[in-house]
Amino acid sequence: MNQQIIGKTHSSTVAAIEFRGVAKQFAAKGRSAQVQAVVDVNFSVALGEVVSIIGPSGCGKSTLLNMGAGLAASTEGQVWVQGEAVRGPNPHVAFMLQKDLLMPWRNVQHNIELGLELRGMAATERATIAQRLITQCRLNGFAKHYPHQLSGGMRQRAALARTLAVDPLVLLMDEPFSALDAQTKMILQQDLARTVLAEGKTVLFITHDLVEAVALSDRILVMSERPGTIVQEIRVDIPGRGDPMQRRKHPGVGAYVGQLMDLLKLDAHTEVH
Ligand SMILES: Nc1ncnc2c1ncn2[C@@H]1O[C@H](COP(=O)(O)OP(=O)(O)O)[C@@H](O)[C@H]1O
Ligand SMILES: [Mg+2]
């Protein structure tokens, strides 16, 4: 499927996803004034690249992803996916959130198959894809379990499997692991990184966890306070992007984290007022 998209644009140099001059203003509603969430956002993510966005709370990170997923329209500029303007939800982009949004009345397999079912795929074909992802996301033995019977980490793995089932070109992930405990989070990062590398997926990932950003990403984009814009781009020059467990142990991680802390001006928040 991805091959077709690449073929259509006649170039593999077209970015998987690109934000060009993007701004978003929320209209005034009732007593609340209008909000300029993001301004002049320009960046692109190449095919197969993993890029993280970090920035202060409320700076417009989720707003950016919503526009990328076609769930919200920009007020200026345009988001492009493989050279095509995003005008609404589209099958090339999948979204994964902190809350897993699994359907409680569907078991793991049927949750994974949901998007395929909506596309009218035959049951046997769906089951084959679900089984492959159940293995890949290490959910063997849990296909018939319901979400309430799973741990938080397993639910997020099921959500990841469901996201991957529809074979999207770009995965947009909004703090997908932030509700998990530290160790479960590391395991999920490992699952994600391996899968993304194996399948050549493009990922745009939002996190508050600076080490997570360093462990997972090819590049990190740092946003300013609202109205949010990209103020810095950092290329992570540590080997082993498919193996964040190892990457975390690399002595270079601390320097990146320090640089990110400085850019986020975290020290300023510890001053006595
Ligand atoms: N639907 C909306 N209507 C009005 N304001 C919104 C809406 N969504 C987000 N905002 C505002 O836009 C700003 C950015 O929000 P958001 O993108 O959620 O930030 P982040 O994800 O970086 O924490 C915030 O000030 C938020 O209150
Ligand atoms: Mg957010």
Side-chain angles (χ1 to χ4, degrees):
M1 183 168 127
N2 293 349
Q3 285 305 316
Q4 283 173 9
I5 302 164
I6 294 163
K8 215 162 110 189
T9 59
H10 301 293
S11 166
S12 56
T13 56
V14 173
I17 185 162
E18 178 168 8
F19 287 68
R20 222 180 281 159
V22 172
K24 174 75 178 175
Q25 188 170 41
F26 289 105
K29 226 184 255 168
R31 265 196 250 164
S32 56
Q34 60 186 31
V35 173
Q36 186 72 45
V38 295
V39 287
D40 197 27
V41 173
N42 294 286
F43 68 91
S44 63
V45 184
L47 264 182
E49 209 182 6
V50 176
V51 172
S52 289
I53 298 180
I54 62 166
S57 194
C59 75
K61 302 180 295 297
S62 296
T63 300
L64 284 184
L65 283 210
N66 286 334
M67 289 190 284
L71 301 175
S74 56
T75 38
E76 278 175 56
Q78 181 67 52
V79 184
W80 304 83
V81 170
Q82 280 267 294
E84 286 188 27
V86 173
R87 306 243 182 255
N90 73 86
H92 310 313
V93 178
F95 212 176
M96 187 174 158
L97 309 173
Q98 178 182 337
K99 200 163 164 359
D100 61 51
L101 303 179
L102 293 171
M103 306 231 166
W105 60 88
R106 283 180 164 242
N107 65 28
V108 166
Q109 180 184 341
H110 292 146
N111 262 294
I112 295 172
E113 290 182 12
L114 181 65
L116 303 173
E117 219 174 288
L118 295 173
R119 289 181 189 183
M121 187 184 278
T124 48
E125 217 179 320
R126 291 198 313 254
T128 306
I129 292 174
Q131 189 47 56
R132 177 176 63 79
L133 287 163
I134 283 168
T135 304
Q136 195 174 317
C137 295
R138 299 191 301 109
L139 289 162
N140 281 316
F142 291 90
K144 305 298 178 206
H145 282 59
Y146 288 83
H148 75 271
Q149 298 172 305
L150 305 177
S151 67
M154 291 178 107
R155 280 203 300 273
Q156 279 310 63
R157 286 214 290 272
L160 176 62
R162 185 177 67 181
T163 308
L164 291 167
V166 293
D167 195 23
L169 181 78
V170 181
L171 297 177
L172 302 176
M173 309 184 84
D174 195 349
E175 304 185 37
F177 306 145
S178 59
L180 303 174
D181 67 79
Q183 285 157 40
T184 303
K185 194 184 207 184
M186 283 193 245
I187 295 167
L188 268 283
Q189 288 165 358
Q190 194 75 1
D191 288 341
L192 173 70
R194 280 201 188 127
T195 305
V196 161
L197 196 67
E199 303 216 346
K201 296 294 181 199
T202 305
V203 181
L204 187 55
F205 190 95
I206 292 177
T207 181
H208 280 117
D209 180 336
L210 305 183
V211 177
E212 178 171 68
V214 176
L216 285 176
S217 317
D218 294 305
R219 276 187 296 139
I220 302 171
L221 305 175
V222 183
M223 287 179 78
S224 66
E225 297 265 1
R226 186 169 63 80
T229 195
I230 311 285
V231 290
Q232 185 71 267
E233 175 196 322
I234 295 173
R235 186 167 290 281
V236 181
D237 193 16
I238 297 176
R241 197 204 71 195
D243 191 352
M245 290 269 190
Q246 279 307 317
R247 238 185 178 197
R248 274 174 177 274
K249 299 178 193 167
H250 192 281
V253 170
Y256 282 106
V257 171
Q259 191 181 354
L260 295 171
M261 288 172 70
D262 290 345
L263 288 164
L264 293 172
K265 302 186 179 76
L266 290 180
D267 290 351
H269 295 275
T270 61
E271 281 168 13
V272 179
H273 293 286

